[in-house]
Amino acid sequence: MGAAIGPRKAGRQRHRPVSDINVTPMVDVMLVLLIIFMVTAPLLTAGVQVDLPKTEAAPIKGDDQPLSVSIDAHGDIWIQETKVTLDELGPKLQAITAQKPDTRIFIRGDKGIDYGRVMEVMGYLGSAGFTKVALVTEMKQGEPAAPPAKKGGR
């Protein structure tokens, strides 16, 4: 009988649990998430559909991320993706910018709306204390940006 027990014990070896973490599934998930964010990030820049006018002006360079104020084809005003009235525009922007009047604000006006509406919003922003206000346009297709004009006549 002793011989029968011996081979059974020899056949059963104790396996120790593996304490290493398998990182391959985690890396696969992270790469998939990276691809998803890379694809969706450009779609999140501006939620209000505005048909911008085309121009040959060069883009403005800046260090900070500007706020976007959009005026759609119906003349409605939007801060980022939130619809506001003209009277709410100044106080909401002041609250968002924490009373920093040097914050850059880009106005995206639909090319089909009245120019006076865009100027009304620009004037209201100026009276609210915001000094860095710029209009956003799209570059014309196939044409390079015009070089900046030189000062001094030559």
Side-chain angles (χ1 to χ4, degrees):
M1 241 206 250
I5 294 175
R8 262 192 223 166
K9 276 190 170 182
R12 261 199 253 168
Q13 295 178 355
R14 289 204 67 128
H15 292 289
R16 299 183 89 193
V18 179
S19 62
D20 295 334
I21 297 174
N22 189 2
V23 235
T24 306
M26 183 180 69
V27 170
D28 290 344
V29 169
M30 295 305 289
L31 288 174
V32 168
L33 287 174
L34 177 67
I35 291 170
I36 289 171
F37 286 126
M38 287 173 55
V39 169
T40 58
L43 302 175
L44 299 176
T45 54
V48 180
Q49 184 63 28
V50 176
D51 189 14
L52 295 174
K54 309 259 189 265
T55 185
E56 296 176 10
I60 297 174
K61 304 289 186 220
D63 297 335
D64 58 340
Q65 183 69 18
L67 278 172
S68 175
V69 174
S70 302
I71 307 167
D72 65 10
H74 305 290
D76 296 328
I77 303 169
W78 300 76
I79 299 175
Q80 303 295 76
E81 297 177 7
T82 306
K83 187 175 178 179
V84 295
T85 64
L86 187 62
D87 295 331
E88 298 172 337
L89 182 62
K92 286 200 178 201
L93 282 176
Q94 288 172 347
I96 291 170
T97 61
Q99 301 291 337
K100 291 188 222 167
D102 62 334
T103 303
R104 293 187 312 148
I105 299 176
F106 286 176
I107 298 181
R108 302 171 63 242
D110 193 280
K111 70 179 180 182
I113 64 170
D114 182 33
Y115 183 68
R117 180 68 171 163
V118 176
M119 294 312 298
E120 180 183 19
V121 171
M122 273 187 87
Y124 191 80
L125 290 174
S127 67
F130 294 99
T131 56
K132 294 185 176 180
V133 180
L135 295 173
V136 177
T137 60
E138 289 181 345
M139 296 292 293
K140 286 186 178 180
Q141 295 294 333
E143 296 181 20
K150 293 183 180 178
K151 295 181 180 178
R154 289 191 200 199

